[in-house]
Amino acid sequence: MIVQELGWDDDVDPELRDAIEARTGEEMVDEDSDEVVDVVVLWYRYDDGDLVDALVDAIAPLADNGFIWLLTPKRGRDGYVEPSEIAEAAPTAGLSQTSLASIGPDWAGARLATRRSRPAERR
């Protein structure tokens, strides 16, 4: 499994990063990678720019069945992102939110998957 990490900064959760790398047996690739990836871990804070743009950029390297873990600071932390902003940005970027998780003491996660178009009707 290839995991790409976007939005890394000094505030990310090192234990989560270590756990991901231990689970996959590989280091995460960074934003400069040209590989097709199975998962994108996107660390995003309120002041990181437009969320829709960040999500669209994160979709580009995804494999057909890949997904994004959007990690945002929890309420009360610097860079907190309102859940309504995620709920609005995801469909605009062509994603569906499939689950939520608490990721350590400082981060919350939203699992986002690409929306599959319905198969064309056969005549």
Side-chain angles (χ1 to χ4, degrees), residues 9-49:
D9 206 340
D10 293 336
D11 62 347
V12 302
D13 186 327
E15 291 178 14
L16 176 62
R17 294 182 80 251
D18 291 345
I20 292 168
E21 291 178 348
R23 174 77 179 199
T24 63
E26 301 286 334
E27 289 186 12
M28 289 187 281
V29 297
D30 64 18
E31 65 271 356
D32 296 326
S33 175
D34 291 332
E35 295 188 58
V36 174
V37 301
D38 302 295
V39 178
V40 171
V41 173
L42 173 58
W43 303 95
Y44 180 83
R45 302 136 197 99
Y46 180 77
D47 57 355
D48 283 351

Side-chain angles (χ1 to χ4, degrees), residues 47-86:
D47 57 355
D48 283 351
D50 186 71
L51 180 55
V52 173
D53 289 344
L55 292 173
V56 169
D57 290 345
I59 292 170
L62 278 180
D64 288 341
N65 293 320
F67 57 90
I68 298 168
W69 271 105
L70 174 62
L71 305 179
T72 59
K74 287 184 175 178
R75 183 178 300 277
R77 305 286 183 192
D78 286 342
Y80 172 72
V81 178
E82 288 287 340
S84 60
E85 184 176 346
I86 297 168

